[in-house]
Amino acid sequence: MSITLNTTMSSIMTNKRRVGALKSLGVVTVGDALTYYPFRVADPVPLRALREARIGKRMAFSASVRGMRVVPMNVRRGYRLEAVVDDGDFAVSRHIAGAAARLVFFSYKKQYVDWLSMRLRSGAIVVIAGEPSEFNGQLQFTHPEIMTVAPGSGPADGEYSGVVQMSALKYDADTVEAGLRRISRPRPVYHASSRISSEHIHESIVQCIELLAGTGQDLPGDAATEAPQTMKPMEDGGISGAGTAPADAESRSGNAVAVGLARAIPDVLPESVRESNHLLHRAEAFLAIHDPLSTADFKRAIGTMRYEEAFVSQTALLQSRSNVRKDAALPCAGVALRDRFIESLPFPLTGGQREIIDDIGVDMAREYPMQRLLQGEVGSGKTVVAVAAMLQAAGSGHQAVLVAPTQVLAEQHHATISAMLCAIDGVETGDDPSRDALSPNDPADLIKAAESAADDGDAKGRTAVKHPVKHSGARRGKQDGAAHANTRHVPVILLTGGMKLAARRRALALAASGDPCIIVATHAAFSKTFQAPNLALVVIDEQHRFGVEQRESLRTKNDVVPHLLVMTATPIPRTAAMTWFGDLDISWLTELPGGRKPIRTFIVPEDDGRMMGSMFAHIRGRIDAGERAYVVCPRIDADDESDGDDDTSGASQIGVYDDSDAYRRESATAAANTAASAPSQEDGDGAPSRPPLHSVAEIERRLSSLPQFRGVRFATLTGRDDDATKQQVMADFADGATPVLVATTVIEVGVDVPQASCIVIFDADRYGLSQLHQLRGRVGRGGTDSWAFLISRAEDGGPAQQRLQVIQGTLDGAQIAQADLEFRGAGDVLGDAQSGGKSGLKLLRVVKDVKIIADARERAGRLLADDPDLSGEVELAGAVLDFTRGNETFLTSS
């Protein structure tokens, strides 16, 4: 059987239990095994004679076997093998008298005991590494690692040159010196599980390397049955036909393993790139990672594979960026409607907004699709930019869709956009006296203006806002240049998963007609029933909440690829954005509208009753002054086992921070609270039970009973509420009927109530920094003083407390994003759809490796300029294809 990187572990491993354990770690093929990298290397094992042994301290030595016996364990079943060894010769070399020790092995498997008995026969010379203990006054090593040494003299230089075959036995080393060098070398340490240890992971990977190199045998059946005298049947499950560990790396360039591995694993990086960066060959790197000579050997190999990841990913991004220009898009050159919209705004645009609107206008006028990422702080005016882009599409006779992550946000976008379009009509006809009173920070006024302008006589009064006019003239406008059409010929359609069937059908029919319109939708836009044949622009709000497959479904609905604008208020560091969204043009909105005051942020320990009471009294004072307060909880009710909101839109509403180490160090008070309110249990890794997350139902009940809130009405809002309830709750909160809103993180994005001045976030230590920054941005939007209170049960000085101190110390989203990326890793900050375990990136770090990424991008650009299809770099082309296909969701739009 020929072994390749695509060979499955199940086809070469005899023990299916280990196959399953490796599969649970994502190791399915030989290639997966080689790229399951250790996270560190253990220190080299010191050489010590038996008289120098320290109980519990790992050591290595050589010895001769003086005797061996196998004792059946009748009561416990199985066998115990005991061997007595003497290190006399080795001790003399260290100028110490020799001593004896006992080696002990336990096993249920007779074949394993027989194999050990053959290796530890009397007179055998062995090299041993293990942790000494004492039993009955005698030094003992339980299940130590052993290597057999060939009798007689080995090579003159003492180097190990491969597995030595003598008689019917395989010896692991030619000489004692070679064996000691190998067994004392630093060992890689892997992320393991309760099903498989780091040692067994290492053992399996080393044997994969050996099989790839051709030094291991390939037997289809059970090794111990077919060739017990020459094969090693692994006690916990080994690889069929696997022999011993790979050869000594001191002469890797010339030994059989290195040569064979180089044949089996071709290099991915172009030779010129590898040489100019002084990198190892891919085969050499794998060998040095999983069987390093030294820590320096290991670090150099890790550096090689890290650069390879950077080069492959940047090549894929640049290729994707180039391939997009081969697609056809609907050019949108009509800017008259967009310009009238800008002129009608009751506030001036910032310089950043004007510049980005112009850039988008140029991009959309081209015949290939725009791909742009718009990143901006909370309240920086991204929605206005998006509306301008959508009006450019509609004004050119096409359709545009804005996809929002939640029902609440979609409804708010719909009402605000409708209001803006009605305001345009008021400017043209002079019949909108409220124009001068409109405020850029008060969308409620815009909504009221929209409602007053909607006069189509709909009995419910809501359809008029959703569809200000009939669309009968839209197609005519499209045919004769809709740039000159009245804005009432551009319907604004709302489409959500929670709509009633009749309303949903009307919305789908309007979209399917192809008439120019703006569609505001939730995840319903990704369904097969949604068709927009004249779609020219897709705007994704809070892009990190949508998977690549969902975004791609909109791009592939029609033959013509729509322009793409993705927006996020979640701060992403520039380096991370360039890495994860390198196939997009990136725009940053850094200016905030005038009149915004800084939000004062406080960390409040939950067990500090006095501070909690003062906080609630302060909030009551703000409520009495006519302001509003949010209270955020991570759970809906006490019976909700999922740590998050259950939103009908399908978006993940909770980003609870998961840090086992932090919770191992929680305070005694928090632990006592946990014990009192939840059954005693432990996490799988031995961590104590975490404090239960607060729920909306619990906090609403507790707060409403406090004397500080006597006479104050409370409302609750979660993703489980139906549409009518959500609308009523938000309306009552906005007009002050229920001035305190207890909610899940469903309010995280887009919800805009200018009167809200206070936000209380329970279990704040369980959130990521970017999400806390988003939640904090819900207040202070009306120009009044505002406060954010982070309720925490974290231990003082612990990691969770340090995260909260970052939020308390700055309002700069860029600084917060950088800190969040360093605390949590890119996978948590950007979402699994762009990074983490599903991205194919295992070693590259977007913050610390920015220089590597920049160098790789520059070299990849030069390579693609000379060879766009990578026809001269077959292995690199294959690696790029593997990186972007299947579930590799690294690319935003490929």
Side-chain angles (χ1 to χ4, degrees):
M1 177 180 176
S2 177
I3 308 297
T4 68
L5 292 176
N6 295 321
T7 300
T8 61
M9 299 296 288
S10 60
S11 66
I12 59 175
M13 295 193 77
T14 59
N15 190 298
K16 302 309 176 187
R17 183 177 63 180
R18 184 176 290 191
V19 171
L22 290 171
K23 185 177 180 180
S24 68
L25 298 175
V27 178
V28 178
T29 66
V30 172
D32 294 334
L34 266 60
T35 55
Y36 191 79
Y37 300 114
F39 62 90
R40 68 179 179 90
V41 287
D43 295 332
V45 181
L47 300 180
R48 294 195 184 108
L50 289 176
R51 292 189 181 275
E52 299 173 304
R54 302 172 189 171
I55 300 301
K57 300 293 185 181
R58 191 170 172 82
M59 58 178 283
F61 63 99
S62 67
S64 299
V65 180
R66 296 304 180 211
M68 182 271 299
R69 66 171 183 162
V70 176
V71 181
M73 297 184 295
N74 295 326
V75 177
R76 297 176 54 192
R77 296 189 307 141
Y79 305 89
R80 182 178 77 251
L81 184 149
E82 298 180 357
V84 178
V85 297
D86 185 339
D87 73 337
D89 293 338
F90 177 73
V92 168
S93 69
R94 299 180 65 83
H95 309 290
I96 297 175
R102 182 169 57 181
L103 313 181
V104 180
F105 300 85
F106 300 92
S107 178
Y108 291 108
K109 298 181 180 179
K110 184 65 164 61
Q111 61 182 17
Y112 178 72
V113 174
D114 290 343
W115 177 78
L116 276 176
S117 300
M118 184 170 54
R119 290 168 65 85
L120 292 175
R121 70 193 187 285
S122 182
I125 302 172
V126 292
V127 173
I128 301 164
E131 188 175 295
S133 60
E134 187 176 352
F135 183 74
N136 288 338
Q138 186 176 6
L139 199 64
Q140 176 175 295
F141 292 82
T142 304
H143 282 275
E145 180 182 358
I146 61 171
M147 294 180 63
T148 57
V149 180
S153 58
D157 58 1
E159 288 185 356
Y160 176 66
S161 58
V163 176
V164 181
Q165 181 80 35
M166 298 188 68
S167 301
L169 294 177
K170 277 186 175 180
Y171 294 101
D172 302 324
D174 289 343
T175 65
V176 169
E177 291 79 7
L180 287 172
R181 280 200 304 271
R182 282 194 46 72
I183 210 164
S184 63
R185 285 216 310 268
R187 292 298 180 91
V189 182
Y190 302 82
H191 288 292
S193 71
S194 60
R195 299 177 61 185
I196 187 169
S197 66
S198 175
E199 282 296 322
H200 288 149
I201 294 171
H202 179 235
E203 182 180 82
S204 300
I205 295 175
V206 162
Q207 291 169 350
C208 285
I209 289 176
E210 185 179 291
L211 286 175
L212 274 173
T215 60
Q217 301 181 40
D218 174 29
L219 299 178
D222 188 283
T225 302
E226 297 189 11
Q229 75 279 11
T230 60
M231 304 307 299
K232 176 183 179 181
M234 303 309 301
E235 168 65 4
D236 281 329
I239 295 182
S240 174
T244 57
D248 195 323
E250 289 185 8
S251 56
R252 277 181 179 150
S253 61
N255 66 35
V257 172
V259 174
L261 202 61
R263 287 196 299 264
I265 306 176
D267 213 350
V268 168
L269 292 174
E271 186 70 16
S272 58
V273 173
R274 187 170 67 82
E275 289 183 352
S276 61
N277 286 278
H278 308 290
L279 304 174
L280 297 173
H281 186 282
R282 197 169 196 241
E284 290 180 294
F286 280 137
L287 196 56
I289 287 171
H290 297 295
D291 192 36
L293 273 174
S294 62
T295 54
D297 191 30
F298 174 81
K299 289 178 180 178
R300 186 185 179 197
I302 287 290
T304 294
M305 299 311 298
R306 181 173 288 133
Y307 190 91
E308 179 185 292
E309 285 188 357
F311 196 87
V312 170
S313 64
Q314 293 305 308
T315 302
L317 285 167
L318 292 173
Q319 263 198 336
S320 173
R321 187 186 182 100
S322 176
N323 290 338
V324 164
R325 300 197 171 190
K326 299 177 183 178
D327 296 328
L330 294 173
C332 301
V335 297
L337 182 60
R338 181 201 71 181
D339 292 344
R340 292 210 315 275
F341 159 71
I342 295 173
E343 292 172 3
S344 72
L345 291 173
F347 50 86
L349 295 180
T350 65
Q353 286 175 315
R354 289 187 176 278
E355 181 179 350
I356 293 172
I357 288 174
D358 289 342
D359 291 341
I360 291 174
V362 172
D363 290 347
M364 291 181 61
R366 297 183 177 127
E367 295 184 351
Y368 57 84
M370 170 187 72
Q371 293 204 126
R372 184 172 292 275
L373 170 67
L374 174 57
Q375 177 174 328
E377 284 282 1
V378 174
S380 59
K382 297 183 298 299
T383 302
V384 171
V385 174
V387 171
M390 290 188 289
L391 287 177
Q392 182 169 337
S396 301
H398 306 304
Q399 295 172 306
V401 59
L402 168 63
V403 186
T406 67
Q407 174 112 4
V408 172
L409 183 55
E411 290 171 349
Q412 179 169 312
H413 277 319
H414 173 265
T416 303
I417 293 170
S418 299
M420 289 178 174
L421 297 191
C422 289
I424 299 177
D425 294 333
V427 170
E428 291 183 336
T429 61
D431 59 1
D432 184 7
S434 64
R435 174 181 180 272
D436 294 336
L438 294 176
S439 165
N441 290 320
D442 196 350
D445 289 343
L446 291 175
I447 295 172
K448 290 178 181 178
E451 292 172 342
S452 64
D455 53 1
D456 66 348
D458 187 277
K460 295 181 179 180
R462 298 297 298 176
T463 307
V465 179
K466 297 177 182 178
H467 312 293
V469 294
K470 302 295 184 181
H471 64 281
S472 57
R475 188 177 301 277
R476 182 178 64 256
K478 177 176 64 176
Q479 295 171 346
D480 61 9
H484 300 291
N486 188 278
T487 56
R488 291 184 178 274
H489 295 157
V490 183
V492 183
I493 303 168
L494 179 65
L495 177 64
T496 70
M499 295 174 66
K500 292 183 178 180
L501 182 59
R504 182 181 175 88
R505 284 177 174 174
R506 285 197 300 270
L508 290 172
L510 286 170
S513 69
D515 292 342
C517 62
I518 293 174
I519 305 157
V520 181
T522 58
H523 288 66
F526 303 125
S527 68
K528 293 181 180 179
T529 57
F530 175 73
Q531 297 294 328
N534 194 23
L535 186 62
L537 174 66
V538 174
V539 181
I540 305 289
D541 194 14
E542 289 304 312
Q543 57 77 33
H544 67 286
R545 288 174 172 262
F546 300 98
V548 173
E549 294 83 1
Q550 291 174 314
R551 293 193 295 266
E552 187 68 8
S553 68
L554 282 175
R555 286 171 50 84
T556 57
K557 281 184 180 289
N558 304 322
D559 295 334
V560 178
V561 178
H563 301 284
L564 176 67
L565 175 65
V566 292
M567 305 191 300
T568 180
T570 300
I572 302 173
R574 220 168 256 264
T575 54
M578 291 176 63
T579 304
W580 257 261
F581 309 107
D583 59 335
L584 303 180
D585 295 310
I586 304 175
S587 299
W588 274 270
L589 271 178
T590 57
E591 300 175 68
L592 293 178
R596 295 289 295 269
K597 295 183 179 180
I599 304 169
R600 285 173 262 187
T601 305
F602 299 90
I603 300 172
V604 181
E606 188 172 346
D607 57 1
D608 189 333
R610 184 173 182 178
M611 185 176 291
M612 292 282 287
S614 298
M615 175 189 71
F616 291 135
H618 171 79
I619 294 173
R620 176 57 188 264
R622 304 320 305 166
I623 292 172
D624 291 342
E627 297 171 7
R628 317 282 188 270
Y630 294 104
V631 179
V632 179
C633 305
R635 299 176 70 186
I636 297 176
D637 52 52
D639 296 329
D640 180 25
E641 295 182 358
S642 63
D643 291 345
D645 201 355
D646 182 15
D647 193 285
T648 55
S649 68
S652 173
Q653 294 302 329
I654 181 69
V656 174
Y657 192 84
D658 188 5
D659 187 347
S660 297
D661 291 335
Y663 284 100
R664 291 191 185 99
R665 296 184 289 271
E666 285 292 348
S667 65
T669 301
N673 291 340
T674 302
S677 59
S680 176
Q681 59 183 1
E682 288 194 350
D683 294 335
D685 61 355
S689 298
R690 297 170 182 172
L693 297 172
H694 289 297
S695 67
V696 169
E698 166 209 357
I699 293 300
E700 189 274 335
R701 185 175 59 254
R702 286 171 54 184
L703 295 187
S704 60
S705 65
L706 292 177
Q708 292 95 329
F709 296 111
R710 186 175 292 113
V712 174
R713 291 184 59 195
F714 284 73
T716 62
L717 181 67
T718 74
R720 291 182 186 173
D721 295 326
D722 58 43
D723 297 344
T725 301
K726 289 178 181 177
Q727 292 174 1
Q728 187 61 50
V729 166
M730 290 307 300
D732 290 345
F733 181 64
D735 64 22
T738 53
V740 180
L741 178 61
V742 185
T744 59
T745 51
V746 71
I747 68 161
E748 178 185 347
V749 292
V751 174
D752 191 349
V753 177
Q755 296 84 3
S757 63
C758 297
I759 184 167
V760 179
I761 305 172
F762 279 91
D763 297 306
D765 50 299
R766 302 286 290 268
Y767 294 84
L769 299 187
S770 293
Q771 191 170 34
L772 288 175
H773 182 58
Q774 284 271 49
L775 289 169
R776 180 172 59 180
R778 296 309 99 207
V779 298
R781 305 173 74 87
T784 61
D785 292 330
S786 53
W787 296 264
F789 302 98
L790 311 179
I791 312 301
S792 169
R793 289 181 283 189
E795 179 185 3
D796 287 342
Q801 184 78 0
Q802 293 173 14
R803 293 195 303 271
L804 296 183
Q805 288 171 350
V806 171
I807 287 289
Q808 184 182 34
T810 182
L811 296 170
D812 188 336
Q815 292 184 23
I816 292 170
Q818 186 80 8
D820 206 11
L821 198 59
E822 293 171 355
F823 273 123
R824 305 175 64 190
D828 291 324
V829 174
L830 302 178
D832 285 339
Q834 276 77 41
S835 60
K838 297 181 181 180
S839 71
L841 293 181
K842 299 183 178 181
L843 296 172
L844 196 64
R845 303 159 300 184
V846 296
V847 175
K848 296 181 180 179
D849 296 330
V850 60
K851 291 182 179 179
I852 294 177
I853 294 169
D855 182 82
R857 189 176 184 87
E858 180 184 353
R859 294 178 187 275
R862 292 203 297 264
L863 176 66
L864 289 173
D866 297 334
D867 187 5
D869 298 326
L870 299 177
S871 56
E873 299 291 344
V874 178
E875 296 301 330
L876 176 61
V880 169
L881 183 62
D882 290 341
F883 185 80
T884 55
R885 67 163 44 145
N887 67 346
E888 298 298 341
T889 56
F890 178 85
L891 298 179
T892 298
S893 55
S894 66

